[in-house]
Amino acid sequence: MSQEHVYDVIVIGGGQSALAVAYYLKRTRLRYVLLDKETAAGGAWQHVWDSLTLFSPAQWSSLPGVIMNGGSDKYPTRNETLQYLRDYESRYQFPVKRPVEVLEVRKENNLFILSTSQGTYISKAVISATGNYSHPIIPDIPDKSLFKGTVIHSADYRGPAAFAGKRVVVAGEGNSGAQILAEVSKVANVLWTTRNAPSFLPDHIDGRYLFDAATALYKARQEGKNYQPRPLGHIVKVPLVREAIERDVYHALPSFDYFYEDGIGWNGGRQEAVDAVIFCTGFLPALQHLAPLEIFQPDGKIHTHETKAINIAGLWLVGYGSWTGFASATLIGVGRTAKKTVDDVVHFLEGTSSWSDVNFITN
Ligand SMILES: Cc1cc2nc3c(=O)[nH]c(=O)nc-3n(C[C@H](O)[C@H](O)[C@H](O)COP(=O)(O)OP(=O)(O)OC[C@H]3O[C@@H](n4cnc5c(N)ncnc54)[C@H](O)[C@@H]3O)c2cc1C
């Protein structure tokens, strides 16, 4: 393979995290490309349900360079967020190739070899930004195969219409569960099951406050201070949730223990006949393409310092959550993580043979 075909860095993914990284890569002279398995721009936002509302106002939901429209009182919808990401990508004309799914990443002779759905790509460094959405967690509950009803994860939920007139279980006490329950309860008879007691944040607290609180915690830890903020709750009262609280629909039951043909049951005797269960039980990082590198920890994550993989040189991970950079799974937080990552990549490539090509653009 001739040198022209070796990228300095390949970014895997094309969602908000990959775009934030691309924003800073564009300011270098690095040869880079983004490989995204989607057919269109917008990452996971093109798959989430229509009524999903951000829990941070627009002004606190922006990638570097472009503030999202709407100011400090508007909680952007899924469509507005998707449009923002599409406009962002086309404004900066990032080199994104779609659809290209990265199937396997290997390292040979200091180069990364990426086997993809569209042939082989080679680079000196890799930034993985594949998110969590394509790896939903469904708990392994006994006798699921006996259940005659529908079982889905929130990743496959599109809206309440499919559940009209049914008896539905929403499982999970996070923001997804609370928001889905709010709208399904308008058309269906809903039970809410939660592993931990759900707790709603006070009215005035939203994503912007949580981000500020997390920033304070991060800074305190950096400075070696022992600062422990008071836990306040975790469900943000976006307007949809607030309206559902007024309808008095949030009554949590403990997680159920098993399925039976017509419904769900708890050890101790209680059973409920239901037609559908929607698991709002979170996601794992989508890292399967990195399996050949054999650097996974038992929890399925990769040992990192900030975004840099510890056990292999030249690999960074962006956007998967706090283990890959503070607040990196949010629109507002990923910019800071992306900037630091690109700085690191530039310094890493300084040590490679073609450093003459690797300079920041100064004008
Ligand atoms: C209910 C809910 C509410 C949320 N609210 C907010 C909020 O208020 N504010 C906020 O900032 N965030 C919010 N988020 C989080 C946000 O949606 C995600 O954190 C965000 O989508 C992550 O962006 P990403 O770019 O890391 O991943 P994604 O958006 O998932 O993008 C990853 C991209 O990589 C692609 N990909 C995956 N695997 C491969 C592969 N092997 N090869 C090539 N491409 C691949 C995917 O197809 C996708 O295009 C919310 C999420 C949920 C579920």
Side-chain angles (χ1 to χ4, degrees):
M1 174 74 47
S2 67
Q3 196 62 12
E4 297 88 74
H5 293 104
V6 178
Y7 288 94
D8 290 314
V9 55
I10 293 177
V11 182
I12 310 175
Q16 64 195 42
S17 303
L19 296 184
V21 167
Y23 177 87
Y24 290 106
L25 282 173
K26 200 175 166 72
R27 282 155 180 71
T28 71
R29 289 193 204 280
L30 297 179
R31 286 163 297 186
Y32 72 99
V33 68
L34 281 66
L35 305 179
D36 185 28
K37 71 176 180 181
E38 301 293 332
T39 51
W45 290 104
Q46 52 204 316
H47 301 295
V48 301
W49 58 96
D50 292 345
S51 66
L52 176 59
T53 309
L54 290 198
F55 47 72
S56 308
Q59 201 179 329
W60 279 265
S61 301
S62 301
L63 293 176
V66 186
I67 301 277
M68 202 189 289
N69 284 333
S72 58
D73 293 322
K74 160 87 182 155
Y75 293 89
T77 62
R78 169 245 189 218
N79 284 347
E80 288 162 343
T81 309
L82 189 53
Q83 195 55 51
Y84 168 78
L85 292 176
R86 291 187 166 161
D87 291 347
Y88 188 89
E89 184 178 311
S90 68
R91 174 189 178 125
Y92 291 110
Q93 298 280 296
F94 297 129
V96 189
K97 292 190 189 286
R98 293 196 178 90
V100 180
E101 179 170 8
V102 177
L103 304 169
E104 287 191 336
V105 178
R106 299 178 185 281
K107 194 165 186 197
E108 293 171 16
N109 302 323
N110 286 328
L111 290 175
F112 289 94
I113 317 292
L114 283 69
S115 307
T116 82
S117 54
Q118 303 291 333
T120 302
Y121 284 77
I122 300 180
S123 63
K124 297 174 194 166
V126 164
I127 302 173
S128 189
T130 49
N132 299 316
Y133 211 74
S134 46
H135 203 173
I137 303 171
I138 293 202
D140 195 12
I141 295 176
D143 293 336
K144 190 164 69 188
S145 60
L146 297 182
F147 180 52
K148 290 188 294 194
T150 307
V151 176
I152 62 163
H153 188 275
S154 61
D156 297 312
Y157 172 80
R158 291 291 164 269
F163 302 97
K166 301 199 166 153
R167 273 180 68 81
V168 180
V169 179
V170 174
E173 67 269 23
N175 284 288
S176 309
Q179 287 195 23
I180 288 176
L181 190 147
E183 63 176 15
V184 173
S185 61
K186 289 182 185 166
V187 300
N189 197 335
V190 181
L191 294 174
W192 192 22
T193 64
T194 67
R195 200 170 47 176
N196 302 302
S199 56
F200 292 86
L201 286 159
D203 284 0
H204 64 287
I205 290 182
D206 59 17
R208 115 192 76 175
Y209 176 94
L210 296 175
F211 183 75
D212 289 346
T215 303
L217 177 62
Y218 174 76
K219 283 189 179 150
R221 291 207 174 135
Q222 293 278 75
E223 291 161 12
K225 292 184 187 151
N226 185 15
Y227 164 68
Q228 206 43 263
R230 193 163 52 92
L232 291 167
H234 57 275
I235 300 172
V236 179
K237 288 186 193 160
V238 295
L240 180 75
V241 169
R242 214 168 281 188
E243 183 275 331
I245 291 172
E246 279 162 21
R247 274 190 289 123
D248 194 24
V249 298
Y250 293 113
H251 300 284
L253 296 168
S255 291
F256 55 96
D257 297 309
Y258 63 90
F259 284 94
Y260 69 100
E261 279 193 355
D262 297 318
I264 59 171
W266 289 260
N267 296 336
R270 178 172 182 171
Q271 290 190 328
E272 292 283 347
V274 298
D275 303 302
V277 179
I278 306 172
F279 282 105
C280 304
T281 36
F283 299 84
L284 286 170
L287 297 173
Q288 299 90 322
H289 54 290
L290 300 176
L293 299 175
E294 296 183 352
I295 50 171
F296 287 162
Q297 301 178 129
D299 63 0
K301 295 177 183 163
I302 288 171
H303 192 198
T304 48
H305 174 66
E306 297 178 336
T307 56
K308 190 177 190 314
I310 299 287
N311 294 320
I312 191 154
L315 174 66
W316 282 261
L317 299 113
V318 175
Y320 297 97
S322 53
W323 65 280
T324 55
F326 159 69
S328 70
T330 62
L331 284 155
I332 189 174
V334 73
R336 176 168 33 194
T337 301
K339 182 173 190 311
K340 174 71 170 60
T341 300
V342 172
D343 286 349
D344 280 359
V345 171
V346 168
H347 287 124
F348 169 76
L349 290 171
E350 258 178 321
T352 68
S353 53
S354 66
W355 168 241
S356 56
D357 289 337
V358 182
N359 288 307
F360 276 104
I361 296 170
T362 48
N363 56 3

